[in-house]
Amino acid sequence: MRILIIEDDSLLGEGLRAGLSQHGFTADWLQEGRLALHAFQHEQFDAAVLDLGLPDMDGKDLLIEYRNRGGSIPILVLTARNGIGHKLVCLEGGADDYLIKPVDLRELAARLHILLRRREGRSTSVIRIADVELNPHAHKVSLGSEQVDLSPREFKVLHALLRSSGRVMSKEQLEQHVYGWETDVDSNAIQVHVHNIRRKLGHNVIQTIRGIGYIIDQKDQ
Ligand code: CA
């Protein structure tokens, strides 16, 4: 799951980026509102963590502008402003959750999982297709009754494909999900991850759609 953090404080922004990465998210970080609006237009994120006091614009205005443009991903406001007035303006302006700093990273991660599963219309975060079960909270994958060890990146590839099961994901989309703005990504990295997932979970778990990308299709399991 790819999260955009919008936070101007360097220490906190880097802390959130590192912390959410440790919780299994692909976390990208920007310090200015205008840059975030640009990123939302050009790249796919699953959710955003938004500070309100930004140098170039107020986070509330960013939120309202993003929603006015039709942006639909869950946005969690993370701020030091704890007045009910601020909170209501954000919730009515399209925020999905509102947390006061300082935040415990475990709670932030849990709340992001909740927002994402609600958006996908699931009552639990665990995803099951045929014999494969993935638990994003516990970071575990099993095949039947056997637990399977995936690397963190293999886990992200499998999670992205399971979440969009029935829809093809291109190599580029998967790269964005797994690596975000990390640089030095091997051009065949996704192929290698898919190869390893198939080796561990069975060849049929992921289909290749030649020239387009990869799909996990419930029908084919
Ligand atoms: Ca700030």
Side-chain angles (χ1 to χ4, degrees):
M1 287 172 291
R2 187 181 184 204
I3 310 293
L4 181 61
I5 299 157
I6 308 149
E7 167 62 66
D8 62 314
D9 183 287
S10 301
L11 211 57
L12 184 55
E14 178 50 34
L16 288 170
R17 199 198 58 71
L20 287 179
S21 300
Q22 277 182 353
H23 277 82
F25 294 93
T26 301
D28 289 315
W29 166 42
L30 289 173
Q31 292 176 281
E32 289 173 35
R34 291 279 156 214
L35 294 178
L37 283 169
H38 186 263
F40 281 137
Q41 267 188 318
H42 294 93
E43 302 199 29
Q44 288 183 339
F45 297 92
D46 296 304
V49 174
L50 174 66
D51 177 32
L52 293 183
L54 296 170
D56 60 333
M57 66 191 297
D58 194 284
K60 281 186 278 200
D61 296 328
L62 187 160
L63 176 64
I64 289 164
E65 190 166 337
Y66 173 67
R67 292 295 185 223
N68 283 343
R69 291 180 184 186
S72 63
I73 65 165
I75 294 188
L76 183 154
V77 171
L78 177 60
T79 178
R81 298 181 195 166
N82 63 1
I84 184 69
H86 292 298
K87 191 170 186 176
L88 287 177
V89 167
C90 288
L91 292 173
E92 285 162 10
D96 297 89
D97 204 348
Y98 193 101
L99 284 176
I100 307 294
K101 293 172 183 170
V103 70
D104 186 311
L105 267 165
R106 292 167 300 180
E107 179 176 5
L108 179 61
R111 292 212 187 212
L112 286 169
H113 279 299
I114 291 168
L115 293 179
L116 294 165
R117 86 170 189 239
R118 274 202 204 127
R119 175 174 158 83
E120 290 157 14
R122 287 184 280 107
S123 55
T124 148
S125 295
V126 175
I127 307 178
R128 228 175 261 114
I129 289 191
D131 290 346
V132 176
E133 183 178 290
L134 179 144
N135 183 331
H137 280 293
H139 233 257
K140 284 186 175 154
V141 173
S142 56
L143 179 65
S145 55
E146 298 286 310
Q147 197 170 309
V148 179
D149 285 328
L150 297 187
S151 75
R153 281 168 180 162
E154 290 160 13
F155 188 94
K156 285 182 180 183
V157 170
L158 181 67
H159 192 193
L161 287 168
L162 281 171
R163 287 174 60 224
S164 60
S165 67
R167 279 179 287 139
V168 180
M169 290 191 80
S170 68
K171 186 185 120 186
E172 291 72 26
Q173 285 174 315
L174 283 168
E175 274 173 3
Q176 281 197 5
H177 267 280
V178 175
Y179 294 99
W181 291 326
E182 248 181 77
T183 49
D184 294 337
V185 180
D186 280 351
S187 63
N188 68 342
I190 296 298
Q191 280 109 304
V192 171
H193 296 320
V194 168
H195 172 84
N196 289 332
I197 295 167
R198 284 173 172 156
R199 189 165 51 75
K200 295 174 184 179
L201 292 174
H203 191 79
N204 288 334
V205 70
I206 298 172
Q207 270 72 49
T208 301
I209 309 292
R210 203 170 287 280
I212 303 177
Y214 300 97
I215 185 170
I216 290 182
D217 205 342
Q218 201 143 19
K219 297 193 297 290
D220 297 335
Q221 303 300 309

